[in-house]
Amino acid sequence: MLSDIEIAQRANMKNIGEIASNLSIEEDDIEYYGHYKAKLSEALFQKLENKPDGKLILVTAINPTPAGEGKTTVSVGLAEAMGQLNKNAVLALREPSLGPVFGIKGGAAGGGYAQVVPMEDINLHFTGDMHAITAANNLLCAMLDNHMQQGNELRIDQRRVMIKRVMDMNDRALRNIVIGLGGKIDGIPRSDRFQITVASEVMAILCLSADLADMKKRLGNILVAYNLDGEPVYARDLGANGAMTALLKDALKPNLVQTLENTPAFIHGGPFANIAHGCNSIRATKLAMKLGDYCITEAGFGSDLGAEKFFDIKCRYGNLKPDCVVVVATVRALKYNGGVPKTELTSENVEALKKGIVNLQVHIENMQKYGVPVVVAINRFMTDTDAELNFIKEFCESLNAECAMAEVFAKGGKGGIELAEKVCKTIETKKSDFHILYDADLSIKEKVEIIAKEIYRADGIAVTSQAEKAIAQIEALGCANLPVCIAKTQYSLSDDPTKLGKPENFKITVRDVTLSAGAGFIVVLTGDIMTMPGLPKAPAALRIDCDNEGNITGLF
């Protein structure tokens, strides 16, 4: 079989103007970025304001494993399958980050015959959104340091600077740095840190903003530091939010591309799900719902992270009500959760499957707690046996969840027809009674404990003294009534990545808490979560190349 990039490079793409026209988007509302990419105008939102919303389908998954689950691939394939059934479906996904592209993944635009294209552009510079977010974040940092250099009228305490610089690359050497060295004209020496761009609060703000005015207000609310009296200093106090908005005004517009089968797709915004809220922008999702009868979107990593934050943060702020949840699982990943080593996952092992399927059970039950009907998509591999597949089907039925095979990697939309039919039938026959998990007015610890017990199945939480102080500070600022965004390992329901399946008899350790006042949530740090990842010993960058004609290879 051809590699992902070879399949993508042979795609029969339509001009993006034709894709937009098929959605009844007028020429005046299209801002072209070449032949196959476009942004859509602000005026389009106003034109569609009174149009009914389509059905909202969230694609999530079990906890990720080294075997791979293929959540994005299934999302793309489901949208293509809807097209095969002559359904008007629009896809809404996150933008890939250059860090994982050159680090481990090598690409994040789906796979096989279920991809969004142009694949190289989407994975690399795309329409410049990531660079705009990076520039806006670092402008704020530069203005902060310049303010301290030029007299420090706000009396900023350089020991209590909260904002961090960012770049869209995995670079562990920048996690902890010292700046301002060299002499008086080079600034005030202090310790500083870098995060990856997708962990920036600016990224979260772009994804949660309703419009340009809302984004400008949220940017102004970024807590950048405390002064010498312990009082907060915000981005608006530095006068930075106007210039930041200028940098981000085009990045706020959703990007339109297409799948291999010419299904329209919005790729916009990309916060990580383990260290941020893990969903594409509210604007892209809402636009997809206005333009399609079905909007298919995804949330990062397993449902314990991405889906929980999709529901409790994104849906809360966007007033969204999902109609169906698709939980992606694989036979291989469930056997891995049952204790089978990665090297032995291709052999039939129903007993291991019985042990590992408890992980799928938790994810199904968790999604049902939100009142949304669940369909399980088994991303099928050629090594899966009938005995294994039948066991999963029967197990899902016992939990009142539909189950369907997905062979979209090898067959594209045709391989997802069974899944698409099950999703449509579920939406038609099972009414969603969506509700969020907790009231934002509860205390910070109460909100974290609800998620820990209900979603992670922990016995409770353990809060460090450092976290207690941080919580008290946030309460003193009057910001405790925000939803919480828990930063946790994606590999386990617990905060220990080695505990697979359904861990028991554990507590979630809250080691620190930070305020993202602009984004509108409180970040709760558990376990050992890196906001600036490092490259592996053999990074994907070693496989990526470009020949003399400009053809890129190695992006999967």
Side-chain angles (χ1 to χ4, degrees):
M1 185 174 173
L2 299 173
S3 68
D4 287 356
I5 194 168
E6 289 172 331
I7 293 171
Q9 289 171 341
R10 299 183 187 193
N12 182 23
M13 287 187 287
K14 294 181 178 179
N15 186 286
I16 200 63
E18 184 178 350
I19 300 295
S21 178
N22 291 340
L23 291 173
S24 300
I25 299 173
E26 297 175 359
E27 186 72 17
D28 289 348
D29 293 317
I30 307 169
E31 299 177 8
Y32 289 95
Y33 281 65
H35 299 299
Y36 307 112
K37 300 172 291 182
K39 282 185 172 289
L40 299 178
S41 74
E42 191 67 29
L44 180 60
F45 285 88
Q46 298 165 4
K47 292 177 182 178
L48 297 171
E49 188 175 2
N50 296 320
K51 191 174 183 291
D53 290 333
K55 302 297 184 181
L56 179 57
I57 302 161
L58 173 68
V59 180
T60 185
I62 62 173
N63 292 99
T65 70
E69 284 61 63
K71 174 162 49 66
T72 302
T73 300
V74 171
S75 300
V76 177
L78 174 57
E80 292 179 333
M82 289 287 197
Q84 294 281 339
L85 296 175
N86 295 316
K87 304 286 187 182
N88 177 21
V90 180
L91 190 62
L93 301 176
R94 293 177 298 164
E95 296 182 46
S97 164
L98 290 179
V101 166
F102 289 104
I104 296 176
K105 286 187 174 182
Y113 290 91
Q115 296 187 58
V116 280
V117 285
M119 183 257 226
E120 303 101 303
D121 293 17
I122 292 168
N123 277 307
L124 299 179
H125 301 289
F126 201 20
T127 59
D129 294 348
M130 289 287 184
H131 302 297
I133 292 165
T134 302
N137 184 102
N138 292 344
L139 170 64
L140 176 57
C141 293
M143 291 182 70
L144 173 71
D145 282 302
N146 184 62
H147 182 90
M148 291 191 287
Q149 171 78 357
Q150 303 292 351
N152 199 8
E153 183 181 344
L154 293 172
R155 301 177 66 247
I156 292 168
D157 186 344
Q158 67 187 56
R159 299 163 301 179
R160 299 193 68 190
V161 172
M162 310 304 291
I163 189 73
K164 302 175 182 65
R165 287 171 162 81
V166 300
M167 67 179 295
D168 191 30
M169 194 61 64
N170 292 0
D171 192 347
R172 61 169 56 84
L174 294 178
R175 285 176 187 157
N176 297 284
I177 60 173
V178 177
I179 61 172
L181 301 179
K184 187 175 181 180
I185 63 169
D186 297 314
I188 297 173
R190 67 177 181 87
S191 61
D192 199 2
R193 299 186 69 185
F194 266 82
Q195 296 185 124
I196 192 165
T197 297
V198 288
S200 167
E201 185 177 354
V202 177
M203 168 64 85
I205 287 171
L206 180 132
C207 289
L208 292 172
S209 294
D211 51 33
L212 205 60
D214 184 38
M215 182 173 71
K216 185 175 181 179
K217 180 180 179 181
R218 287 173 178 270
L219 290 170
N221 288 338
I222 295 175
L223 176 65
V224 294
Y226 290 93
N227 67 17
L228 292 169
D229 297 320
E231 298 168 336
V233 178
Y234 297 98
R236 61 178 179 268
D237 298 325
L238 293 168
N241 53 321
M244 293 171 72
T245 304
L247 283 170
L248 293 166
K249 72 177 184 66
D250 289 327
L252 186 62
K253 300 172 183 175
N255 307 299
L256 178 65
V257 289
Q258 61 193 291
T259 73
L260 291 173
E261 297 181 14
N262 312 121
T263 305
F266 290 112
I267 312 289
H268 192 225
F272 275 179
N274 57 346
I275 52 182
H277 73 282
C279 312
N280 72 302
S281 74
I282 286 177
R283 287 167 62 83
T285 300
K286 285 193 167 185
L287 194 56
M289 291 173 68
K290 293 294 185 185
L291 294 168
D293 296 327
Y294 298 90
C295 166
I296 298 160
T297 190
E298 72 163 1
F301 296 128
S303 76
D304 56 315
L305 286 172
E308 183 273 314
K309 295 169 184 178
F310 178 90
F311 293 145
D312 289 319
I313 298 176
K314 180 174 177 177
C315 290
R316 189 190 302 262
Y317 282 122
N319 194 28
L320 301 171
K321 296 181 179 179
D323 295 280
C324 180
V325 176
V326 175
V327 178
V328 179
T330 65
V331 170
R332 303 189 310 175
L334 292 174
K335 288 191 290 190
Y336 184 84
N337 271 281
V340 177
K342 185 181 178 181
T343 54
E344 299 175 18
L345 293 174
T346 56
S347 301
E348 182 180 285
N349 193 331
V350 178
E351 289 305 310
L353 192 58
K354 289 178 180 178
K355 293 178 182 178
I357 206 164
V358 291
N359 188 263
L360 174 60
Q361 178 180 352
V362 171
H363 289 285
I364 292 172
E365 292 173 348
N366 284 352
M367 296 300 91
Q368 291 171 336
K369 288 181 180 182
Y370 288 93
V372 186
V374 175
V375 176
V376 174
I378 303 175
N379 188 13
R380 188 171 186 174
F381 288 78
M382 60 183 298
T383 55
D384 300 343
T385 68
D386 289 341
E388 292 172 327
L389 295 171
N390 288 334
F391 174 75
I392 297 176
K393 280 186 174 181
E394 292 172 3
F395 186 86
C396 292
E397 289 172 3
S398 72
L399 295 175
N400 193 31
E402 294 287 341
C403 182
M405 296 297 121
E407 299 180 81
V408 297
F409 182 90
K411 300 178 181 179
K414 290 182 179 178
I417 288 177
E418 180 191 355
L419 175 60
E421 289 176 337
K422 286 277 179 76
V423 168
C424 291
K425 181 182 177 182
T426 297
I427 291 173
E428 291 167 5
T429 60
K430 297 181 180 180
K431 182 175 174 57
S432 175
D433 182 27
F434 173 70
H435 50 269
I436 51 182
L437 191 65
Y438 58 83
D439 187 332
D441 287 331
L442 293 172
S443 73
I444 294 173
K445 285 192 280 190
E446 284 175 323
K447 286 178 283 198
V448 176
E449 189 146 19
I450 287 172
I451 295 173
K453 288 182 175 179
E454 295 293 327
I455 303 301
Y456 310 151
R457 310 302 176 90
D459 296 331
I461 61 174
V463 184
T464 66
S465 58
Q466 179 178 343
E468 290 280 10
K469 291 177 183 177
I471 289 171
Q473 180 72 67
I474 293 169
E475 290 173 342
L477 294 176
C479 295
N481 62 338
L482 297 175
V484 292
C485 181
I486 300 182
K488 181 184 77 68
T489 178
Q490 65 268 37
Y491 298 114
S492 172
L493 289 164
S494 73
D495 52 5
D496 181 347
T498 65
K499 293 181 178 178
L500 304 180
K502 181 187 176 184
E504 295 180 348
N505 303 316
F506 70 95
K507 286 188 175 183
I508 295 290
T509 300
V510 177
R511 62 177 178 85
D512 201 1
V513 179
T514 62
L515 175 63
S516 292
F521 54 67
I522 296 160
V523 180
V524 178
L525 296 162
T526 74
D528 188 17
I529 297 297
M530 293 290 184
T531 56
M532 169 55 85
L535 292 172
K537 187 173 183 179
L542 295 174
R543 304 189 299 271
I544 298 171
D545 200 359
C546 181
D547 66 21
N548 294 338
E549 283 72 46
N551 298 308
I552 295 173
T553 56
L555 276 173
F556 270 27

